[in-house]
Amino acid sequence: MGKNVVIVGAQWGDEGKGKVVDILTEDADIVIRFQGGNNAGHTVIVDDKKVVLHLIPSGILHEEKTCVIGNGVVVDPECLIEEIDGLLKEGYTVNEQNLIVSKDAQLILPYHKRLDIEKEKLRGTHKIGTTGRGIGPAYEDKVARCGIRCAELLNPTALKEKLKHSIAEKNSYFKALTGEAGLDADEVIEDYMRYAKRLAPLIRDTSIYIDKAMKNGKSILFEGAQGTLLDIDHGTYPYVTSSNTVSGGAATGTGVGPTRLGTIVGVTKAYATRVGEGPFPTELDEEENAALREHGGEYGATTGRPRRCGWLDIVALKYAVRVNGLDALVLTKLDVLDNLDEISLCTEYELDGGKVSDFPTEAEVLSRCKPILKTVSGWKTKTSGTKDYNELPDKAKSYIELIEKLTGVEVILVSVGAARSEAIIRKNPFS
Ligand code: IMP
């Protein structure tokens, strides 16, 4: 019987999941994405070459693995084709044998992207800081039951009709919202006919595919995008993305029952970052922020935006343990802390004169929480290149063990650099 592992972000995204998935893919047969879209960005370094993927699981970089885009994902066909072409150009194999897309995944259309940008403008100072990729509006249409799914790419005649109808409807919103003309329906239809032809061979019932694979003893890796605190239900609403980023999303976003998901692994940085707006209790002041940002290369893989940086937040991490049911933690970017004299982590919040140890998800309440920090001395030793846990400096091991003690979850993998090889694997979740 194969083993299954779910990887989720335990913070606000950008935890380094791409690299962890890349490492664990060695032991999986199939990698499946279950939510989000090209708002995600995975940077993987292979043989000194940087590969940035937004939609396709990084498992595509491995020979003989199948990558699946599950029904919970919102697919921008233009981006998907661009990504496929980029990989082909680099010499990777991408075809219907190793990349399949759920017929039930929703399509992102040009009007979603435009609505995303226009709505952000209207929000003014209350903007969310979205990636502008049309993610929210595409999920809105899904829930409003007027979205267009990948299956429709298999029926061009019906697709044309649907597009005509939905573009006319959306154009009336644009007119009302901006006074400007909307999209040229013929142009969009022409583009989507081309995308349909190109992507049709990849589209199928991926729930059946995974079920059969599981029955044949294959191991599945479920690849989460974004992070727990950006979850539409459990994140810092409304400063969240529009999908369920928590482990439960791996079931609904793939058509695999929750009892079959296997080991749930949460990925956290050794500190914290956030992109876009919203409360961030452990955020550092501008000077310290800049230092950590430069050291950690903390700029968005998708938008290039500088990330806000802060100390590791144990209150938030314990929350991620609870809502995901985490069996294990992966700690990334430990090496970014190598030069620091002192390292802090937040163990509780102070709120209205009292102490809080349960993470409040109301943005307004969270914005009033002040971190209560525990400070430890830094190890001031280079950790990148370390292969064995026991070779880490004692103070680095103490930091990791403190995280384990405070969260009650073991750290099974420690990442100490950007390269695939710069990782200490203490326990493989597939074994
Ligand atoms: P959206 O997903 O583009 O709608 O953006 C909503 C919020 O989620 C914004 O604060 C984004 O910065 C954030 N977000 C979306 N995708 C990612 C990601 O992959 N990493 C980090 N933040 C993200």
Side-chain angles (χ1 to χ4, degrees), residues 3-5 24-25 27-29 219-221 263 428-431:
K3 285 217 167 185
N4 305 321
V5 173
L24 295 179
T25 296
D27 298 291
D29 300 295
S219 290
I220 321 286
L221 181 57
T263 306
N428 186 329
F430 277 109
S431 54

Side-chain angles (χ1 to χ4, degrees), residues 12-14 39-41 128-132 135-136 226 230 240-241 275-276 305:
W12 279 282
D14 307 317
N39 48 349
I128 295 166
T130 72
T131 58
I135 307 298
Q226 290 85 46
L230 289 173
V240 292
T241 191
V275 225
R305 289 182 290 179

Side-chain angles (χ1 to χ4, degrees), residues 329-367:
L329 280 169
V330 167
L331 191 69
T332 62
K333 292 198 149 185
L334 184 75
D335 55 299
V336 175
L337 306 181
D338 283 355
N339 295 329
L340 298 185
D341 294 325
E342 286 185 330
I343 298 160
S344 299
L345 35 73
C346 167
T347 52
E348 279 178 305
Y349 299 144
E350 191 192 305
L351 176 69
D352 301 334
K355 282 184 180 177
V356 172
S357 51
D358 287 322
F359 186 75
T361 52
E362 303 87 342
E364 188 277 321
V365 178
L366 190 62
S367 69

Side-chain angles (χ1 to χ4, degrees), residues 12-15 17 37-42 116 120 128-137 225-227 230 238-243 274-278 302-303 305 307:
W12 279 282
D14 307 317
E15 298 92 350
K17 294 179 295 296
N38 57 318
N39 48 349
H42 288 334
D116 195 357
E120 276 287 86
I128 295 166
T130 72
T131 58
R133 302 295 193 266
I135 307 298
Q226 290 85 46
L230 289 173
Y239 301 100
V240 292
T241 191
S242 298
S243 61
R274 172 161 207 173
V275 225
E277 308 302 315
T302 299
T303 57
R305 289 182 290 179
R307 296 178 185 142

